[in-house]
Amino acid sequence: MADDLGDEWWETQPAGASSSPEASDGEGGDTAMMQQETAPVRALSKKTEQPKECFLIQPKETNEDATKTRKRKKKKITDVLAKSEPKPGTPEDLQKLMKDYYSSNRSVIELEELTLPDSCFLKANDLTHSLSSYLKEICPKWVKLRKNHSEKKSILMLIICGSAIRALELIRSMTAFRGDSKVMKLFAKHIKIQEQVKLLEKRVVHLGVGTPGRIKELIKQGGLNLNPLKFLVFDWNWRDQKLRRMMDIPEIRKEVFEILEMGVLSLCKTESLKLGLF
């Protein structure tokens, strides 16, 4: 009986417990039982990994998703602008843009000097005209005027638009008005400025259609003289794919105002030059 008890006792004793069976009674027995209960816990703390906290991570927005979101927003804005009723430009529109542009670096007196008289403005397009019909209305004596023009490095009528492609469209659409007039493309696309300067020196040109950047450079280099200019027409109401007008684009607007300061404003004040908003 004692032998059987001894065998069972040795099987259940943890390492380091008392070697006497009598230690199971009294205080020694309590100590053995505590060691027996706590030993497995120490083993688990060494070998078993403690549970870790879990966090739910939101999926990141991919570039494709962001692009789709932006495209959707742009489309909505474009839809709103497309549904809005277009309004024709007026001389007051140009005057306001000039005031906003120059107000940052001009005094009140200088701003007043920049104000153009109403007499220098031609009738604006009410959105019912083609370019030819509009030009015929603002310049009914064009044939006589161009026949009397013989000065090189100059033009009688200048049309300023926002891009080379738009300039080509305007040249095609003014066939009924121009007749036998000599027309020159005044933009940078596929045409070097030196070639344009040579053409202006060699031949008499009546009409010029182009972008403000190239026109400004021709004036700066002395290839284009503005003094004989009689009509300056802005392609004011046309809108691009983003529904922006020419003067809505900061770079183009800046170049237009630079041209105005290169002699256009002074010519307008003497009433030798008229401004039109097509």
Side-chain angles (χ1 to χ4, degrees):
M1 188 72 179
D3 293 339
D4 295 338
L5 180 60
D7 293 338
E8 291 175 2
W9 184 83
W10 281 112
E11 289 174 0
T12 57
Q13 284 301 308
S18 176
S19 59
S20 173
E22 287 79 9
S24 61
D25 297 328
E27 293 180 359
D30 293 339
T31 303
M33 289 297 292
M34 290 176 61
Q35 292 177 347
Q36 182 177 352
E37 291 176 357
T38 57
V41 175
R42 288 198 301 271
L44 282 173
S45 64
K46 291 180 181 179
K47 298 180 181 179
T48 306
E49 293 185 0
Q50 295 296 324
K52 296 181 180 179
E53 294 183 1
C54 295
F55 298 94
L56 293 177
I57 301 175
Q58 295 293 334
K60 292 183 178 180
E61 187 182 47
T62 62
N63 292 335
E64 185 178 355
D65 294 336
T67 303
K68 289 181 179 178
T69 303
R70 286 195 295 270
K71 285 183 177 179
R72 284 196 295 269
K73 288 181 179 179
K74 285 183 179 180
K75 187 176 180 181
K76 289 180 181 178
I77 294 173
T78 305
D79 289 342
V80 171
L81 292 173
K83 292 178 181 178
S84 62
E85 186 176 351
K87 296 180 180 179
T90 63
E92 290 75 20
D93 293 337
L94 179 58
Q95 299 273 35
K96 184 179 183 304
L97 286 175
M98 289 176 60
K99 185 178 180 180
D100 294 341
Y101 178 80
Y102 292 116
S103 60
S104 60
N105 54 10
R106 302 293 175 95
S107 66
V108 177
I109 297 175
E110 288 174 328
L111 288 175
E112 290 179 357
E113 292 177 351
L114 291 172
T115 303
L116 295 173
D118 293 336
S119 58
C120 78
F121 285 96
L122 298 161
K123 182 179 179 181
N125 179 21
D126 59 0
L127 303 182
T128 62
H129 285 283
S130 65
L131 181 57
S132 285
S133 65
Y134 176 71
L135 296 180
K136 285 180 180 179
E137 181 174 338
I138 65 173
C139 184
K141 298 181 180 180
W142 173 251
V143 175
K144 182 180 179 180
L145 187 65
R146 70 174 177 80
K147 284 182 178 180
N148 295 330
H149 177 64
S150 59
E151 189 172 344
K152 296 178 182 178
K153 296 177 65 175
S154 67
I155 51 180
L156 290 173
M157 181 179 290
L158 177 61
I159 301 175
I160 299 179
C161 58
S163 68
I165 295 176
R166 178 59 179 167
L168 294 175
E169 291 176 357
L170 291 174
I171 291 172
R172 287 193 294 267
S173 65
M174 63 192 298
T175 304
F177 169 78
R178 71 185 189 187
D180 296 330
S181 304
K182 301 298 181 183
V183 182
M184 188 168 178
K185 305 168 186 174
L186 303 177
F187 50 76
K189 193 172 184 179
H190 307 310
I191 306 175
K192 295 181 179 180
I193 191 169
Q194 293 81 7
E195 296 176 3
Q196 291 171 332
V197 171
K198 289 179 181 179
L199 288 173
L200 287 167
E201 290 175 347
K202 290 180 179 179
R203 65 171 70 170
V204 174
V205 180
H206 305 104
L207 275 160
V209 184
T211 55
R214 176 50 59 90
I215 294 170
K216 183 186 72 173
E217 288 301 315
L218 287 169
I219 298 170
K220 284 177 64 176
Q221 295 190 22
L224 181 61
N225 178 19
L226 293 179
N227 288 329
L229 187 64
K230 300 301 179 185
F231 300 94
L232 175 58
V233 179
F234 294 107
D235 185 28
W236 193 267
N237 296 301
W238 183 80
R239 295 179 181 270
D240 63 10
Q241 291 180 347
K242 296 181 180 179
L243 300 179
R244 299 174 300 178
R245 297 182 304 176
M246 176 181 69
M247 298 298 279
D248 294 330
I249 303 172
E251 297 82 4
I252 295 178
R253 182 170 62 245
K254 179 177 180 292
E255 290 171 337
V256 167
F257 288 130
E258 288 174 352
I259 292 174
L260 294 182
E261 291 186 277
M262 297 172 79
V264 171
L265 293 177
S266 58
L267 291 172
C268 288
K269 290 180 179 180
T270 61
E271 298 189 5
S272 63
L273 175 63
K274 302 291 184 180
L275 299 178
L277 305 179
F278 173 65

